[in-house]
Amino acid sequence: MANTKHFTIPVTGMTCANCVATVERNLKKVDGVERVSVNLSSERANIDIDPNVTELDAIVNRVKQTGYDVATGDADLIIHRMSDDNDARRLEKTLLQYDGIQKADVSFTSERARITYIPTIISQSDIRKIVTKSGFEAVDIDGNFQDVEQQAREIEIAKQRHYLIVGVIFTVPLFIISMARDFGFLPPILAQSMFLDLFMWALATPVQFYVGWQYYIGAYKALRNLTANMDVLIVMGSSAAYFYSVAVVLGLIPGHVYFETAAVIITLIKLGKYLEARAKGKTSEAIKKLMGLQAKTAHIIRDGEETEIPIDEVAVGDFIIVRPGEKIPVDGVVIEGRSSVDESMLTGESLPVSIGPGDQVIGATLNKLGLLKFEATRVGKDTTLSQIIKLVEEAQGSKAPIQQMADKVSAVFVPFVIAIAAVTFLLWYFIIPLPTNSDIDLFTRALINMVSVLVIACPCAMGLATPTAVMVGTGRGAENGILFKSGEALEAAGRTTAVVFDKTGTITKGQPAVTDIVVGDDWVSIVNRKDKDHSAEKELLRLAASVEQGSEHPLGEAIWAEANSRSMILTQPDGFVAEIGHGVKAEVDGQSVLVGNQRMMQANNQLMNGLDPIVERLQTEAKTTMLVAVDGAVRGVIGVADTVKEGSEEAIQELHKMGLMIVMITGDNQQTAEAIGKEVSVDSILAEVYPADKSIQVENMQSSGESVAMVGDGINDAPALAQADVGIALGTGTDVAIAAAPVTLISDDLRGVPRAIDLSRRTLRTIKQNLFWAFFYNIVLIPAAAVGLLNPMLAATAMAFSSIFVVSNSLRLRRYKTRI
């Protein structure tokens, strides 16, 4: 909808897939919320709302009411140019009108502003711009920019580490004492004393209610929202062991104490949560690397002087100086200077790009050689790097279709486990007889097996299986110049069976270039008689290019470009005339020169000099022929064609190795299409297809059972890109933000296509491995616990490391290397 607003909110406090489901369910209840997608791995909620019905504050409040929180940052600014307290109140009011600013406290007396904001919606740079726009001047007090989400994650890791250390301090001696008593290593008088039970109770209590208090809070919040999550299982399992032991110590029931079981359960799970939090932090490293690419300052020319300013103060139209070895701060167009620019950090291409006047430069790339002066065209959130970061963040926060199965299972998982635990207790207490040599009673045995079931179950592994792989996969893609705009696109690319390529501008360069120059024997004799430095071929090209200097026709530009690439010195033509549909003519160095087609030569009575077979041969090769006549006769033929881009043939060969069918689709004639198709070895050619009919051809392939990836420029091929199972748009730098396809390659190198599909396949394979492990783990170990094959401590160990395995498996994608 046109009025829809999109927000990304960092949600804290989620521990498992049930938490995700709870947040999603509650946010959907807010009037005006049109779409919600919550990601456990990135800890973000992506929300679309109707601003006419609800606002951001209502969303934030609902998250907090649900029992979770939203990560916020604080901007502490010095405000200059306030004349009185009314200015402070006006600035406060202005700031609070912007989405993402939660609180604003502006003091005229201290000239300070304290602003609480949501970092995924608005940045400190944006806030300073708002202050400036309001007529004031903002100065950041500490000069540092906060990565609020990273800070929140580091705080969470530090908190988990603290609780883990406390848990270990109390649990290790408790476990040693318990094992020593069970194996008879303690003197009988000590082993049977009430003091030992009391001491063990004292050691277990801090673990249960300090280290494990977070689980009690989480369980309470879940139950308050009429749901159940992992915290409920942990609390039920550890509390059962703890309070049973308390009852034994108080003499309310006979039996053996299990304080060490309760403490070990909580400490092991806390160990798992600590390692999981550390591992999850690594899944977003690609985004951090991208953010770290941006230059911090820029050297601009203002009032004739060079000044260094912060990057966020650069404005469109500023003239910027970049010296060798410096990063290009923002996107722009070169005005002066030539250099070689390393764009590998954004495009994944290792070779530097030659840059000169008129060429575009991309912010965050590295100037290697010469000094450049360029005009800023995109700054702030509009730069290519900012658009890439935004796209990757949105992709990492989205859900792949394969995750739907895990979500459905997670929604009923915890209640199902509780039911199994209850059945387990009843069976072991009422049905299964106690062995005659057993050293425990029926109730204790049933309780232990029930606790094992409760703590072995792990909804976390199912919740993390897909999003962690999607986060790492999309991040790795961005590092290689491949942008997946959603988890759905990442999954669809991995299922591709056929790839359809547009020809012009995709397989080919999209602009004609000189391929052949053939001269007649008489022209060779004429040039040799003049004893010039040029060969007959070069002289023919020089004359033709001199005439074409005044032409705007693409074929003429191709001839001029060829001469320019050879550094030829051209002559200014006299009497230039363009004959529409035929060619051009002029006088060059006193010679009458015509460049055009056969109709032009016939109309001007120019002799063909036996070059007709050459024209026919070039035409059969799908090349356009330009005849060059000098002083009344055709002296040579120049073949012009849209040439295949470097890397296209290699890319298609690689796709063949991957077992994919390759189809080329084009509006060109059959002869031209077959020549290009043969050169790059495609499997099938669809020629003379109108742009509007390309989508029909894709649909026909889909009807035959193929999963189709369409590769095009993202604009002319938009209908086909949309119709395909996955559209892959080739872009160049600044065009990347507006590409229409769900997958975009930052460069126009076709080798990015097999890289994208291969990375998608590997990510999809990782997701399947994660899901298999998560389901296999629960399907096998929950029954094992129910039949008494696992004690609670072993169950807690397995549960703690199931999530770590899933995250670690996803992190292997960080080592992904491209095929070509």
Side-chain angles (χ1 to χ4, degrees), residues 92-203:
E92 269 186 15
K93 185 177 180 180
T94 300
L95 287 167
L96 291 171
Q97 290 175 351
Y98 284 83
D99 291 326
I101 295 181
Q102 298 291 286
K103 294 179 183 177
D105 182 13
V106 183
S107 171
F108 168 67
T109 305
S110 62
E111 294 187 314
R112 296 275 288 266
R114 183 77 174 180
I115 300 155
T116 301
Y117 65 100
I118 300 175
T120 53
I121 298 175
I122 194 168
S123 67
Q124 285 202 27
S125 173
D126 296 328
I127 293 171
R128 287 199 298 275
K129 288 178 181 178
I130 294 169
V131 174
T132 303
K133 189 177 178 182
S134 300
F136 308 104
E137 182 182 351
V139 180
D140 189 26
I141 290 177
D142 58 14
N144 294 322
F145 296 95
Q146 291 179 309
D147 184 347
V148 177
E149 289 183 277
Q150 177 62 18
Q151 288 180 353
R153 197 180 291 277
E154 288 175 354
I155 290 171
E156 177 64 20
I157 292 172
K159 184 169 68 174
Q160 296 291 352
R161 181 170 56 242
H162 168 74
Y163 286 137
L164 174 61
I165 292 171
V166 174
V168 169
I169 289 173
F170 286 96
T171 301
V172 170
L174 175 60
F175 180 76
I176 292 173
I177 292 170
S178 176
M179 292 299 101
R181 182 171 67 175
D182 290 346
F183 287 104
F185 295 146
L186 295 179
I189 188 171
L190 179 60
Q192 298 172 9
S193 70
M194 184 68 162
F195 169 77
L196 189 62
D197 286 344
L198 290 172
F199 182 64
M200 293 173 68
W201 184 8
L203 290 174

Side-chain angles (χ1 to χ4, degrees), residues 698-715:
V698 171
E699 187 176 6
N700 291 339
M701 293 180 62
Q702 291 170 321
S703 299
S704 64
E706 300 290 351
S707 180
V708 180
M710 172 69 194
V711 185
D713 64 10
I715 300 172

Side-chain angles (χ1 to χ4, degrees), residues 464-480:
L464 291 169
T466 301
T468 52
V470 169
M471 282 191 72
V472 181
T474 52
R476 195 73 184 99
E479 292 175 339
N480 285 278

Side-chain angles (χ1 to χ4, degrees), residues 144-352:
N144 294 322
F145 296 95
Q146 291 179 309
D147 184 347
V148 177
E149 289 183 277
Q150 177 62 18
Q151 288 180 353
R153 197 180 291 277
E154 288 175 354
I155 290 171
E156 177 64 20
I157 292 172
K159 184 169 68 174
Q160 296 291 352
R161 181 170 56 242
H162 168 74
Y163 286 137
L164 174 61
I165 292 171
V166 174
V168 169
I169 289 173
F170 286 96
T171 301
V172 170
L174 175 60
F175 180 76
I176 292 173
I177 292 170
S178 176
M179 292 299 101
R181 182 171 67 175
D182 290 346
F183 287 104
F185 295 146
L186 295 179
I189 188 171
L190 179 60
Q192 298 172 9
S193 70
M194 184 68 162
F195 169 77
L196 189 62
D197 286 344
L198 290 172
F199 182 64
M200 293 173 68
W201 184 8
L203 290 174
T205 300
V207 179
Q208 189 70 33
F209 297 110
Y210 179 71
V211 178
W213 188 245
Q214 182 182 16
Y215 300 127
Y216 281 95
I217 294 174
Y220 165 73
K221 290 177 179 178
L223 295 173
R224 188 182 66 181
N225 287 286
L226 302 179
T227 185
N229 61 5
M230 182 199 73
D231 295 334
V232 173
L233 299 178
I234 296 171
V235 166
M236 289 180 66
S238 63
S239 295
Y242 177 84
F243 287 110
Y244 169 80
S245 300
V246 170
V248 172
V249 172
L250 296 177
L252 301 178
I253 58 175
H256 181 78
V257 295
Y258 289 94
F259 286 119
E260 82 287 352
T261 298
V264 168
I265 287 172
I266 289 177
T267 302
L268 283 174
I269 292 173
K270 189 60 69 176
L271 172 63
K273 281 296 170 187
Y274 168 66
L275 295 176
E276 179 188 318
R278 289 187 58 187
K280 280 168 64 178
K282 296 179 181 178
T283 61
S284 59
E285 281 190 356
I287 284 288
K288 295 173 192 172
K289 287 181 182 178
L290 289 173
M291 289 179 172
L293 291 176
Q294 191 175 43
K296 299 297 185 291
T297 60
H299 296 275
I300 68 167
I301 303 296
R302 285 184 182 172
D303 300 325
E305 294 185 2
E306 182 178 327
T307 307
E308 185 176 9
I309 63 172
I311 189 72
D312 60 289
E313 293 181 13
V314 176
V316 173
D318 278 341
F319 295 106
I320 301 172
I321 298 293
V322 185
R323 293 176 173 79
E326 294 180 344
K327 287 183 179 179
I328 294 170
V330 296
D331 297 1
V333 176
V334 176
I335 298 173
E336 297 177 11
R338 292 187 178 276
S339 183
S340 180
V341 176
D342 181 1
E343 298 181 350
S344 61
M345 60 284 296
L346 294 181
T347 65
E349 302 300 329
S350 58
L351 294 178

Side-chain angles (χ1 to χ4, degrees), residues 670-721:
Q670 189 72 34
Q671 189 179 44
T672 301
E674 287 181 355
I676 296 295
K678 182 179 179 181
E679 185 175 350
V680 296
S681 303
V682 299
D683 298 310
S684 179
I685 297 170
L686 300 172
E688 300 177 22
V689 179
Y690 291 108
D693 294 334
K694 289 182 180 180
S695 61
I696 297 174
Q697 296 292 342
V698 171
E699 187 176 6
N700 291 339
M701 293 180 62
Q702 291 170 321
S703 299
S704 64
E706 300 290 351
S707 180
V708 180
M710 172 69 194
V711 185
D713 64 10
I715 300 172
N716 295 332
D717 302 309
L721 288 166

